[in-house]
Amino acid sequence: MPKIRSRKAISKTNESQTHAIRFNTGVGQHVLKNPLIVTSMVDKAALRQTDVCLEIGPGTGNMTVKLLEKVKKVIACEVDPRMVAELQKRVQGTPLCSKLQVVVGDVLKTDLPFFDVCVANLPYQISSPFVFKLLLHRPFFRCAVLMFQREFAERLVAKAGDKLYCRLSVNTQLLARVDMLMKVGHCRTTH
């Protein structure tokens, strides 16, 4: 006779299969789970086949795979060795593997390599220091498509006289053209 599981047991089983890796929310770790948002970010970067793309926090590689399909090389900076293993496992044995370079460590403590485009879904905790690091990076890069928490993004684009206008707004707008490209709901990421 088959064993009958309650709905609660079934949902717990499905949840554990979907989230085999526990994300470290203490460091703001989250993964984009909506493929339409990943595709939209990649499209907005206007990537070229000759580009070197810097990705910060590739996680399990949802965006990385899309980037690898479009550019010459992706340099992925990841602080979590578990995520590095998942990313490498995901591209292992595919033609994309040779186009991926993984840098393991804290991107804030690492010298940024040469790149043409930066694409990242950043944790709130490193948003401000990373933006300043990116703005000071030389040689200049063509573009960066970065996902931030809404409050931070609003500070980046705030105009003089706005309540959110601050040092971050001034410095960012002095050194770069800044636009808010899209709004993403909280349910589009997994913690």
Side-chain angles (χ1 to χ4, degrees), residues 3 8 19 22 30 49 59 61-62 73 76 83 91 101 103-104 125 147 151 163 187:
K3 187 175 181 179
K8 195 172 192 177
H19 301 101
R22 292 211 180 261
H30 59 282
Q49 290 179 341
N62 295 340
K73 179 179 183 179
M83 294 295 172
V91 298
Q101 176 186 339
V103 177
V104 183
Q125 290 87 330
M147 183 176 293
E151 298 80 11
K163 188 172 104 173
C187 61

Side-chain angles (χ1 to χ4, degrees), residues 13-23 60 82-83 86 89 190:
T13 302
N14 290 342
E15 188 175 281
S16 66
Q17 289 169 350
T18 306
H19 301 101
I21 296 176
R22 292 211 180 261
F23 299 112
T60 57
R82 299 171 309 142
M83 294 295 172
E86 285 298 313
K89 188 171 25 171
T190 301

Side-chain angles (χ1 to χ4, degrees), residues 30-47 53-57 62-64 66-67 70 117-122 143-148 181-184 188-189:
H30 59 282
V31 174
L32 278 174
K33 63 182 182 180
N34 185 327
L36 294 176
I37 294 170
V38 171
T39 300
S40 181
M41 286 184 69
V42 170
D43 290 346
K44 289 179 186 313
L47 299 168
C53 182
L54 176 68
E55 183 185 15
I56 309 304
N62 295 340
M63 190 167 348
T64 313
K66 295 280 187 196
L67 294 169
K70 297 203 175 252
V117 178
C118 178
V119 180
N121 175 21
L122 291 165
C143 119
V145 176
L146 308 172
M147 183 176 293
F148 297 112
L181 300 176
M182 65 180 152
K183 294 181 180 176
V184 177
R188 304 292 187 248
T189 60

